[in-house]
Amino acid sequence: FPVTIDFVSDVSVTHDGVAIDDFRVSDPPPVEAKLAAITAPLTGCGLPNNAQVSIRVKNQGTQSLSNIPVHYRINALAPIAEVMPGPIAPGDSLVYNFSTRANLSVVGTYTLTAYTAVTGDADLSNDTLRSIVNHISLVSSLPYTQNFEANNGGWFSGGSNSSWAWGMPSGVVINTAASGQRAWVTNLGGNYNNDEESYLQLPCFNFSSIQNANISFSIYFDTEDTYDGVNLQYSTNGGASWQVLGAVGSGTNWYSSPSVSSSNGQPVWDGTSSGWLRASHSLSALNNASSVLMRFVFTSDMSVVEEGIGIDSIVIGNTPTNVPDIGVSQLLAPTAPALNQDNNVRVVIDIVTGK
């Protein structure tokens, strides 16, 4: 049968391209076990001290596989060794649940390594997989406040080409935190990445007995206008699907554009804020939700980068009914850091909630 290798490119930006070497077509070997996937555990809220570890093994050889040695280890702990009975017919795959479970009860990031060890395996390069599992802290009472001065708040980043980092901002544009000295920023001392589709993960929230909560935070944005931006998303099904919180203008300082080229039609903060802004929005859409994930999602296109996004001083609390919440949302003047008795101070004051 004919075999072709096709190469395509778009109308702009070129690189060295693709090279092909050592091409081979051969019959499958008698013994070849592939670790196809780590199916459990997954990143989630309130992970237990007896989390199920599961893997899927595929038989890519011509002989049936039985009594397959399988292993896993958490971080640098001693490996757990068990035997997967099988059998797995050629071309089939099978899920194995380890009888020894994993203790993931401490909030943090775990590296899970799993591997097979079949005698005579023809290809050892596909026997091992690694998975990053994050135990996300669960917040069940409000208010929740975090200014990131003591630590990163238990927040973490991920996604593609992520530039998020916690620490002291030292860029040309984003060179201070909103409060204190530390914040989460896309690259503390430089620009974000091209083709970035990253996220900054908040804790998990239990709103099962909470009505009409409100979120507020300080945000600094300096992105390629109309091309790169960030929004806030939430999930009520463990991250299986995500919804964007709000639309342009649905909260105080809430989004600057209905979409940019990299945001898949979603509203974002983009362009430049010319300083830290205080943004806030109702969380009434999450009333009575028992397990809520939230994350900031940043996207960029393939060219032109700026310093990006800063996030600091987050507050999630109950919204009083008919009680005014008046706050300063933006400092207009002075722009210099030093103050004296002759300065005129100009600010923008918003009524966030109430009447």
Side-chain angles (χ1 to χ4, degrees), residues 224-296:
E224 184 187 11
D225 190 18
T226 74
Y227 292 93
D228 309 333
V230 68
N231 59 28
L232 181 61
Q233 302 180 2
Y234 66 88
S235 173
T236 57
N237 56 10
S241 61
W242 293 87
Q243 305 295 323
V244 176
L245 180 65
V248 175
S250 60
T252 301
N253 290 322
W254 206 256
Y255 303 139
S256 56
S257 296
S259 69
V260 293
S261 65
S262 65
S263 70
N264 295 316
Q266 298 175 347
V268 295
W269 288 280
D270 74 317
T272 179
S273 60
S274 300
W276 287 96
L277 300 179
R278 194 68 187 169
S280 64
H281 200 281
S282 169
L283 296 177
S284 59
L286 303 175
N287 286 352
N288 303 315
S290 60
S291 183
V292 177
L293 292 171
M294 286 189 281
R295 66 182 187 180
F296 290 94

Side-chain angles (χ1 to χ4, degrees), residues 75-89:
N75 296 337
L77 298 177
I80 301 299
E82 296 184 9
V83 175
M84 179 178 181
I88 309 177

